[in-house]
Amino acid sequence: MAVIQTNGLTKYYGKTRGIENLDLTVEKGDIFGFIGPNGAGKSTTIRTLLGLIKPTSGSASVLGLDIVKDKVEILKQVGYMPSEAIFYGDMKVSEIIKLSADLRRADCAQRAKDLCERLALDTGKKIRSLSLGNRKKVGIVCAFQHDVPLYILDEPTSGLDPLMQKEFFTLLNERSKAGATVFLSSHVLSELQRYCLHAAIIRDGYLIKNGRVGELSKTAARRVTLHGVSAPPALDGLRDVRTLPESVSFLYSGDIKALLAALNGLPLTDLSITEPDIEEVFMHYYTKEDEKA
C-alpha cells in the first residue's frame, strides 16, 4: 500500500500557483527525498498533505486516509517537522517537548531523553536563547519522540552542524529499518543522494522527475573533464563550463561522435567522462525545462 498517494493535487493562493497536477507515490519503508529550491512548492505540498491547507483541486491520501476528510487522524499518525518551527519563547526546551507529547496524550519521556542526549540538546534553556541549530534539534525531538508510521520533514537539516546532520540521518535510517516511512524535503542535494532511496524533483509547482535516486542521474548529460587544455572544444550542447589553467570540465548532452571528433588533435594529457552527480542532475532538469519555456 502506498503511504502517500497524490492524484492531480493542486493548490493555488488566489491567482498564485503553489503546486499543480502533482502525481506522487511514496511506498512503505521508503526514505523519499523531495528536491527543489526555495519557492518550488515543497512546503505547500507538505502542508496540503497534512491537511493544514486545503487543496484547490485533485486528491491525496496519507496512510490510506483522505487529506481533507481525515486530516485529524493523519496528524495523529505523523511525525511532522516544519521548515521553520515557531515555539513559545519563554518556555524551556523540556516544557516544549512535554507539551508536544501531551498533545498526543502519550508518555514519551524516555524516548525524548534519549533523543536529547544524542543531539546534545540542553533541555533547561529557554527557547528564545537557542540558536537556529538548537531550535532545529527541538523540532527533531518533537517529531521523533513518538512511534509513528510516517515522518514528514520539511528542510530538517538546515542550521545543523555536520556532526548533528550525520546523527540525524542515522536516526532516519533506524526508523526506516524499523518499518517507518520518511518523506523529507531539501535543497541539499548531496544529502538526498547519500540517504534517500527515491526522490522527486519539483520546480515552480510542477513535478519534473520522479524515481530511484540512482535512476535520476541517468540523463543524457555527462561530465567531461579535459586535462592539458584550458578551453572547451567548440561544440553545441555544452553547459556548466568550469575552467582552470591546465584543465576544463563541462556537462555535455550532444552527440558522442561529435565530441570525440572535436577532441581529436587536442594536446590532451588526460580525460574523463563520468555520470553527473545529483546536483548536476538537478540543474540538468531545470535547464531542460527552461529550454522548453
Side-chain angles (χ1 to χ4, degrees):
M1 180 191 76
V3 174
I4 297 175
Q5 181 77 58
T6 73
N7 298 287
L9 191 63
T10 299
K11 174 61 183 178
Y12 268 76
Y13 302 97
K15 294 183 179 180
T16 302
R17 179 180 61 244
I19 54 174
E20 188 155 345
N21 292 323
L22 200 69
D23 292 326
L24 195 63
T25 301
V26 179
E27 300 292 346
K28 185 178 186 299
D30 203 351
I31 300 179
F32 192 100
F34 201 40
I35 309 170
N38 294 333
K42 302 188 303 296
S43 294
T44 294
T45 301
I46 286 174
R47 291 167 185 161
T48 306
L49 289 174
L50 291 170
L52 301 177
I53 55 178
K54 190 174 181 180
T56 303
S57 62
S59 62
S61 63
V62 173
L63 298 166
L65 301 167
D66 182 87
I67 61 168
V68 176
K69 298 177 182 177
D70 306 311
K71 61 182 180 181
V72 174
E73 186 59 33
I74 288 172
L75 290 172
K76 290 179 181 178
Q77 299 187 51
V78 172
Y80 170 50
M81 182 177 172
S83 59
E84 297 181 11
I86 306 299
F87 301 114
Y88 295 110
D90 287 329
M91 292 181 71
K92 293 182 179 180
V93 170
S94 59
E95 295 170 332
I96 288 291
I97 293 171
K98 186 176 185 304
L99 174 62
S100 174
D102 290 346
L103 290 171
R104 291 177 178 265
R105 298 183 176 89
D107 181 3
C108 306
Q110 187 57 52
R111 174 66 65 79
K113 181 175 181 293
D114 293 342
L115 288 168
C116 289
E117 289 176 356
R118 289 180 65 169
L119 297 171
L121 179 61
D122 186 346
T123 59
K125 289 188 174 181
K126 287 190 175 183
I127 293 294
R128 68 170 65 257
S129 70
L130 299 182
S131 65
L132 172 61
N134 280 319
R135 290 200 301 274
K136 279 288 185 179
K137 292 178 187 179
V138 176
I140 292 170
V141 175
C142 289
F144 281 87
Q145 66 178 331
H146 320 285
D147 280 320
V148 292
L150 173 63
Y151 297 91
I152 295 181
L153 315 168
D154 195 358
E155 298 281 358
T157 60
S158 62
L160 294 180
D161 64 46
L163 184 64
M164 287 298 105
Q165 289 178 16
K166 182 178 180 181
E167 186 63 32
F168 170 77
F169 281 106
T170 298
L171 177 60
L172 283 196
N173 282 322
E174 290 171 0
R175 294 299 170 92
S176 177
K177 289 177 180 178
T181 304
V182 178
F183 182 89
L184 73 153
S185 76
S186 181
H187 61 266
V188 184
L189 305 174
S190 59
E191 290 181 350
L192 304 188
Q193 186 174 32
R194 190 175 301 118
Y195 298 105
C196 292
L197 302 176
H198 295 85
I201 299 172
I202 187 171
R203 180 226 179 160
D204 291 339
Y206 291 100
L207 204 63
I208 295 175
K209 193 72 175 179
N210 183 12
R212 293 188 67 86
V213 168
E215 292 295 321
L216 293 181
S217 65
K218 292 183 178 179
T219 71
R222 295 293 181 268
R223 169 60 63 181
V224 180
T225 303
L226 308 177
H227 297 278
V229 295
S230 57
L235 280 171
D236 293 330
L238 270 62
R239 297 196 309 278
D240 191 26
V241 177
R242 306 172 188 175
T243 58
L244 292 172
E246 294 297 325
S247 68
V248 62
S249 73
F250 49 86
L251 283 180
Y252 179 68
S253 55
D255 181 71
I256 190 66
K257 292 181 180 179
L259 173 64
L260 295 176
L263 297 182
N264 187 34
L266 292 180
L268 299 178
T269 58
D270 198 2
L271 70 87
S272 65
I273 302 176
T274 60
E275 294 278 352
D277 63 29
I278 196 169
E279 186 155 359
E280 291 171 330
V281 169
F282 180 79
M283 293 310 300
H284 166 76
Y285 286 119
Y286 264 49
T287 303
K288 189 164 64 174
E289 290 298 308
D290 286 337
E291 291 169 353
K292 291 178 181 178

